[in-house]
Amino acid sequence: MLVAFFYSLLFPVLLGYVLVAWVFPKLSECLRLGLSYGFGMGAIATWIFLLGSFRVPLMWPVMNLPLCAVACVLFWKCRSWVDVRPGDIQIRFSGFEWALLVFIGMGFLSAFFVATAYPVHGWDAIATVVFKSKVFFFERSFEFNQNLPHASYPFHVSLMHFWIAANFSQWNDTVIKIVQPCFYGSLLLLLYGVLQNFISRAYALLGVSLLVSSAFFQFHATIMLAPFV
């Protein structure tokens, strides 16, 4: 169970990291990390969509092993493109910056805890996203998608939740919710990376802390609706 949990968290980041390094070799490290989870989960959802479209049974080896091979090949090709110089990473923070980092970390951890503390709730989340994921998990195909509620609604988020459940080999309405807070963390990294290109590190952290203090973003990091993703 613990291995499946860390695999579900880290594999999209690793896959997305090599994809971003391949597509944008000159991108800064912070922006590359911020884009990694989104690129990785997007690639996973697209691959599952292609498999289902060609009526390939959506079993774990078929969904994961080809992507693992792609990640290894891209890592081998891009290993010389990733250039992180020691001077690019500053680890000395002022007291003000440490306070902002603690606030941002607590905000992210609270969103992660709230998202995974209780099962999916809300009619929109269940009808448009999670119900499809559950059907895909038990049927391992898209055969019954046309009979589901909101059949034309984009189901990339449903495929992400289905992939999480497939890694655990069981359906769990709580575990699949790790997707949203992970995207929330990616958004925070992206915001910091963009702000740091224009203002100092302290003000960039202050900007991220303002986003963390927003109840709107905190709420959407804990529910299963697709717009945040």
Side-chain angles (χ1 to χ4, degrees):
M1 184 71 72
L2 193 61
V3 173
F5 178 78
F6 282 107
Y7 176 80
S8 300
L9 285 179
L10 297 179
F11 180 69
V13 177
L14 296 175
L15 176 62
Y17 186 87
V18 295
L19 285 172
V20 174
W22 178 51
V23 177
F24 307 109
K26 304 302 182 182
L27 203 63
S28 67
E29 193 67 20
C30 188
L31 290 176
R32 188 181 291 135
L33 288 172
L35 290 170
S36 294
Y37 189 81
F39 263 67
M41 287 302 288
I44 291 170
T46 303
W47 174 241
I48 297 175
F49 176 78
L50 290 175
L51 291 174
S53 299
F54 286 99
R55 301 182 181 276
V56 178
L58 301 177
M59 308 306 293
W60 191 93
V62 179
M63 292 189 294
N64 287 270
L65 294 184
L67 294 178
C68 290
V70 170
C72 293
V73 171
L74 290 179
F75 175 78
W76 181 259
K77 290 176 63 68
C78 302
R79 69 189 189 283
S80 61
W81 297 354
V82 180
D83 182 20
V84 182
R85 295 177 291 275
D88 294 339
I89 302 177
Q90 302 179 21
I91 59 175
R92 304 186 68 174
F93 298 96
S94 65
F96 177 66
E97 291 171 340
W98 273 116
L100 292 175
L101 283 172
V102 171
F103 177 77
I104 293 169
M106 291 179 62
F108 171 73
L109 291 177
S110 65
F112 196 94
F113 174 77
V114 171
T116 57
Y118 51 85
V120 181
H121 68 285
W123 172 252
D124 287 342
I126 295 174
T128 61
V129 178
V130 179
F131 186 62
K132 288 184 179 181
S133 307
K134 199 166 188 176
V135 173
F136 296 158
F137 176 77
F138 287 105
E139 297 296 333
R140 300 291 170 151
S141 71
F142 298 160
E143 181 180 356
F144 299 100
N145 181 64
Q146 68 273 12
N147 300 324
L148 299 178
H150 308 283
S152 62
Y153 190 83
F155 49 90
H156 63 289
V157 181
S158 299
L159 295 179
M160 296 177 190
H161 296 152
F162 159 58
W163 180 76
I164 297 289
N167 292 334
F168 284 84
S169 299
Q170 61 181 357
W171 182 261
N172 189 312
D173 282 338
T174 302
V175 171
I176 62 171
K177 294 177 68 179
I178 65 175
V179 172
Q180 267 67 17
C182 287
F183 272 100
Y184 179 56
S186 298
L187 176 63
L188 299 181
L189 279 174
L190 281 174
L191 178 62
Y192 174 77
V194 171
L195 291 178
Q196 200 177 29
N197 291 329
F198 303 98
I199 55 180
S200 66
R201 184 176 62 188
Y203 284 107
L205 289 173
L206 180 61
V208 176
S209 66
L210 290 176
L211 179 63
V212 172
S213 65
S214 169
F216 176 81
F217 284 97
Q218 286 284 100
F219 175 69
H220 275 269
T222 62
I223 59 177
M224 303 294 284
L225 296 180
F228 190 81
V229 176

